[in-house]
Amino acid sequence: KIEPQHLGVGQYQHDIAQTKLSNRLDQVVTEAVSFTGLDINTCGQHMLQKIAGLTKSRAEAILAERGRLGNFTNREQVKAIKGIGPKTYEQCIGFLRVYPREAKERVAKGKLDEDEDDEDYVPSAARGKRKLTKAAGSSSKYRKVAPGKTCNYLDQTAIHPESYHFAMKIINACGLKVGDIGSEDFVSSIKRLSPDGLPVECDPATKQLILSSLSQSISTDYRDQFSKPIFKSEIIDYTR
């Protein structure tokens, strides 16, 4: 949000070509956002457009859809946004997170938007569809949704949707529940796994990403491994 020329990082800052400085800053921010991931229900446009495949106009479209929905309940809803084609979806969706708590808050309201289609994708291990219809005798234009049925707990991880079936095989093989992702018992069980003994046939990089994502607690933040800025503790009043 701060233009490079206003950073004030040293006396030699203005000796650097401003275009190169701006491009490098943009690259660093993009890498940081990609590693950390963004909560699609709370992020702003400035950070959202740093995600791979997303431009300013696409970021604006996502925010407009979020405003219309109230909150996204799953990643698949991004597919319906104008300007987000299959290729763009494939590029960006692994970096966008949908956390079940926020998703359930919307689902608990018992309704979806009037102008949504009669069929709504319900992410699951089977990746199937479920027909949602208006309750018999109800005059409401809204379709009722059972709490928890439209969110996918894998949407809060760095695992790409195209690898969900691999992740579910691992979770099921361990006798775990996908709804427990991030819990202490779930994480400890995943950490005890040996990559060589997993019942999935995928490349090593994908397998490692899945295990890494499933072995993180809910509060895990990629930025925690870096040193935090040091502020002078004796400064307690800026009016002096």
Side-chain angles (χ1 to χ4, degrees):
K1 296 181 180 181
I2 302 176
E3 296 298 325
Q5 63 267 27
H6 301 311
L7 289 175
V9 295
Q11 60 178 329
Y12 300 110
Q13 172 186 338
H14 298 291
D15 294 336
I16 304 174
Q18 295 303 298
T19 300
K20 290 184 178 180
L21 182 60
S22 180
N23 289 340
R24 180 56 180 160
L25 176 62
D26 187 71
Q27 180 184 348
V28 171
V29 173
T30 298
E31 290 177 355
V33 170
S34 298
F35 276 116
T36 307
L38 289 180
D39 182 345
I40 195 172
N41 286 323
T42 61
C43 64
Q45 177 189 317
H46 179 76
M47 298 304 292
L48 192 57
Q49 65 192 46
K50 299 296 183 182
I51 291 292
L54 296 184
T55 60
K56 180 181 179 180
S57 60
R58 288 168 180 165
E60 290 175 344
I62 290 176
L63 294 184
E65 182 70 1
R66 185 176 76 190
R68 187 184 72 84
L69 294 174
N71 265 339
F72 286 97
T73 56
N74 57 65
R75 282 173 165 171
E76 296 223 0
Q77 289 174 313
V78 177
K79 288 181 177 180
I81 300 174
K82 185 177 181 180
I84 307 293
K87 192 63 178 179
T88 299
Y89 178 84
E90 182 181 347
Q91 286 181 305
C92 73
I93 201 62
F95 304 117
L96 300 175
R97 312 279 191 268
V98 181
Y99 294 93
R101 181 175 62 82
E102 288 82 357
K104 284 185 175 181
E105 286 178 358
R106 175 175 173 251
V107 174
K109 295 177 183 178
K111 64 181 182 181
L112 294 177
D113 294 272
E114 298 178 72
D115 53 352
E116 289 182 9
D117 296 332
D118 285 338
E119 288 189 342
D120 193 68
Y121 280 95
V122 182
S124 65
R127 308 293 291 168
K129 287 184 180 179
R130 178 172 298 171
K131 184 87 170 191
L132 301 175
T133 57
K134 185 171 62 176
S138 173
S139 59
S140 173
K141 295 180 181 179
Y142 296 106
R143 289 171 291 113
K144 301 297 180 179
V145 185
K149 295 299 184 181
T150 61
C151 63
N152 189 328
Y153 289 93
L154 290 173
D155 285 349
Q156 66 185 307
T157 71
I159 302 172
H160 196 281
E162 65 185 11
S163 299
Y164 278 4
H165 59 292
F166 292 132
M168 288 305 303
K169 282 185 178 180
I170 294 174
I171 293 172
N172 292 332
C174 296
L176 301 172
K177 296 181 179 180
V178 69
D180 293 331
I181 286 178
S183 66
E184 185 176 347
D185 291 341
F186 187 98
V187 170
S188 60
S189 296
I190 294 296
K191 286 184 175 180
R192 288 196 296 267
L193 294 177
S194 171
D196 297 331
L198 296 178
V200 293
E201 297 179 0
C202 60
D203 62 272
T206 300
K207 187 182 296 186
Q208 184 58 46
L209 174 62
I210 293 173
L211 287 178
S212 176
S213 298
L214 295 180
S215 62
Q216 295 179 358
S217 64
I218 296 174
S219 59
T220 297
D221 192 322
Y222 172 79
R223 295 165 291 187
D224 290 340
Q225 62 183 294
F226 300 107
S227 300
K228 294 179 174 61
I230 300 176
F231 298 98
K232 291 185 177 181
S233 58
E234 66 269 20
I235 299 179
I236 58 175
D237 189 350
Y238 288 98
T239 60
R240 296 178 182 177

